[in-house]
Amino acid sequence: MAYGTVSVGFKGGGFQNDASNAFAAATPYNPETVTNYEVGYKTELFDRTVRWNTAIFQMKYTDLQVQQTLASCLCNVISNAPGATIKGAETDLQYAPNHWFHAWASGSYVDAKYDQFVFAGVNNSGHLMQRTPKWQAAVGAEATTSVGSWTDALVGRVSYRWQGKMPWAPENTSWEPAYGTLDARITLTSPTKGWSVSAYGKNLTDEVYRTNIIVFFNDEMSSFGAPRTFGLEVSAPF
């Protein structure tokens, strides 16, 4: 199936949640509007063992609402970028030749820029949008097997997610390098589905990456993602 669509979205305006003073608290930010153009296809191939979907899109924003954490007040402030454009493509591929094996891969390229945006005397026009990597990709696989007389009781899953470097703020002066995380899980479920036990590992390669930063007096206050983590999980429905 091939398709094309044009859609329009709207987000209401509002007031600051963390205003630094009474004037900022009484000053609203504007509503946001976007027009999205998209074409793509959805396919099922080889006796429906393969599914491959792809989309190409362009989004034109007016008064894009941009939230930033300011070091001057350690508060979150929402301001409007008069114009912004996001364009790119994303694809998703899945392979399931039988009931016990499933593999997938996905990727995206996003070119997201502020067409016009001046904030606190800094001209960010033409800069990349904050927290938006150009490239992202993910791959994974899942397999199911029986354990003795327990049919399809054991499920193993492994997945890897990667993203390219991205700017933390509209100024494009602080960047997060590209990184990827590898996760795995194995789950044993009782025949009656009355309980299950799982062993898992997250960030198995012990990747060091940040989940947030605040630029503060020419330095950076950073929050980091969890390091390599192992665990056991027992669950039961009730």
Side-chain angles (χ1 to χ4, degrees), residues 1-15:
M1 180 188 73
Y3 69 92
T5 182
V6 179
S7 56
V8 177
F10 171 86
K11 183 190 293 186
F15 295 89

Side-chain angles (χ1 to χ4, degrees), residues 218-231:
N218 295 320
D219 203 351
E220 294 173 350
M221 300 172 58
S222 301
S223 300
F224 286 84
R228 183 188 294 117
T229 305
F230 299 100

